[in-house]
Amino acid sequence: MGDTGPTGPVMDRDEVDRALARLGAEHEAIETSLLALQDHAGRRLLEGAELTGVTRERWAAAEASITLLWAYFDAYSGALRSAREIRARRRWSSREDLAELTELLRGEAVTVAGSAAATAHAPTLHGGPGRLSERYSLVTLVDRMNQLYASSLDLVVAADAVWSALPARIDLLAAELQRTRRLAHSVGVRPGEHPAGDDLERITRTLTRLREQVVSDPLAFWAPTEGSSAPGGGRPDTTVYDREARALEDVRREIDAVLAVRQDAEQRIVRLRDVLSRADRTLAEARTARGEVLAKIAATEVPVVSGPPTVLQEQLATAAEYRRHAQWHRLSPLLESLEEKAEDELLRARESLTAVTAPLAVRAELRGRLDAYKAKVARLGFAEDPELVEKYEKARRMLWSAPCDLRVAEEAVLRYQHAAAELLGSAPRVPGQGGPVDRTGPGA
């Protein structure tokens, strides 16, 4: 069993050589990482940027951590160099050399001096705020450097990721915004005159403010991944950017609709004139028919026919004026409204004509029914029956006189139908003239 000291058993030469080899590999890896951090594009940007908000606060602490990290590395390098020098004194180290190496490699033999500012922003493992020096073992010092390196790299990578992703995307969206603004202006979509114009102004202000915030405070737009221990574990927060991109797409669709109006406005106005003209002609026909009904039909309620749709005609004239002055953003909603109202107006005019001419249709149906029964009676040889002739003439006089009382005329037609049906039902069947008499209608 070897000698023991404050740090435990004294290491033998093989243990010392293995420890020095391991510490040398760690030293090389740490140096490579520190140099990579020093040359990291994100760190250089953070050093040169005018930071604000949470990024300024965290970068101040990170700078102190990086300063302390280099102080730790320098102390680590000095201790390793001293250990190598002691080991190199002689090929076979003495017991005193091995005891000294054991203390240096395992004990808290490394003293780290630092400024008060550095230790204030990056307190040591022992938590001694305000201390200007600390003693560490090499193992503890490596753990401390790993912690400081990981936290510093995490901040640098996060800031660099935001700067790499968001400003370029914002610039592309801003360029698309400018193209959309020019297109909107060409079709009359301007702030204060069209909602889409107001939206473009708001999006412009938001993107300008967003880019300034992203450049000065990138960490405010970083969403870390919960549970991730990897440096820079997370992603840029694009919530505001995505919202404005969707808003710009909505505006673009609105402008596309206005452009479509500009392309086919003339044809749509021509179609509207045609629909309203047909509605006017139908209403005129209904008014004429109403006078005819009032003259020919007695005791009938005939609905009043409204006048032409003057409001729609005025709106159509306004639409034509908008087209002449290229006010497409105003023409678009007006045409959509007019097209719907014009079709409704044409339907209303047709319904009005149908309602007005209904009594004439009833009279025509009664005339047809009367003549059909007369033809059937004549075909079966009863045309000269005195009773039928009398009832027929009475119904005919009512239907072909003016004004015609439809209710009385219909009763007369029904009396003729019933008389004919009774006569035909009591008549013997004539060979060759078909089957039983049809009592439900005039027949063929």
Side-chain angles (χ1 to χ4, degrees), residues 50-53 55 162-163 166-167 170 206-221 240:
E50 295 183 5
L51 303 176
T52 61
T55 305
V162 173
W163 277 332
L166 272 177
I170 293 171
T206 301
L207 286 184
T208 301
R209 184 169 59 251
L210 177 62
R211 196 183 193 289
E212 293 173 353
Q213 292 173 344
V214 167
V215 170
S216 66
D217 192 9
L219 296 183
F221 298 89
V240 178

Side-chain angles (χ1 to χ4, degrees), residues 69-145:
L69 182 56
W70 278 104
Y72 286 161
F73 180 72
D74 290 341
Y76 180 86
S77 300
L80 181 59
R81 185 168 52 252
S82 298
R84 284 173 173 170
E85 290 174 354
I86 295 171
R87 180 67 183 89
R89 288 174 185 171
R90 53 185 63 86
R91 183 175 181 182
W92 303 100
S93 299
S94 66
R95 182 180 296 105
E96 289 76 12
D97 290 344
L98 292 175
E100 187 177 358
L101 286 169
T102 300
E103 176 63 23
L104 184 58
L105 296 177
R106 289 183 174 175
E108 294 184 352
V110 183
T111 301
V112 179
S115 67
T119 54
H121 286 293
T124 63
L125 276 178
H126 297 295
R131 294 185 183 183
L132 298 183
S133 65
E134 287 287 341
R135 294 183 62 82
Y136 297 95
S137 67
L138 289 177
V139 173
T140 302
L141 197 58
V142 169
D143 290 340
R144 180 60 174 156
M145 284 190 289

Side-chain angles (χ1 to χ4, degrees), residues 295-300 363 398-406 409:
K296 295 180 178 181
I297 307 297
T300 300
R363 187 185 66 173
M398 291 182 180
L399 288 173
W400 267 267
S401 62
C404 172
D405 190 326
L406 288 179

Side-chain angles (χ1 to χ4, degrees), residues 26-44 47 66 69-70 73-74 77 145 149 152-153 156:
E26 287 180 346
H27 178 274
E28 184 176 350
I30 292 171
E31 184 178 32
T32 300
S33 298
L34 288 177
L35 292 175
L37 177 61
Q38 194 71 13
D39 293 335
H40 197 288
R43 190 198 65 80
R44 293 198 299 270
E47 281 188 340
I66 293 173
L69 182 56
W70 278 104
F73 180 72
D74 290 341
S77 300
M145 284 190 289
Y149 174 78
S152 300
L153 182 62
V156 169

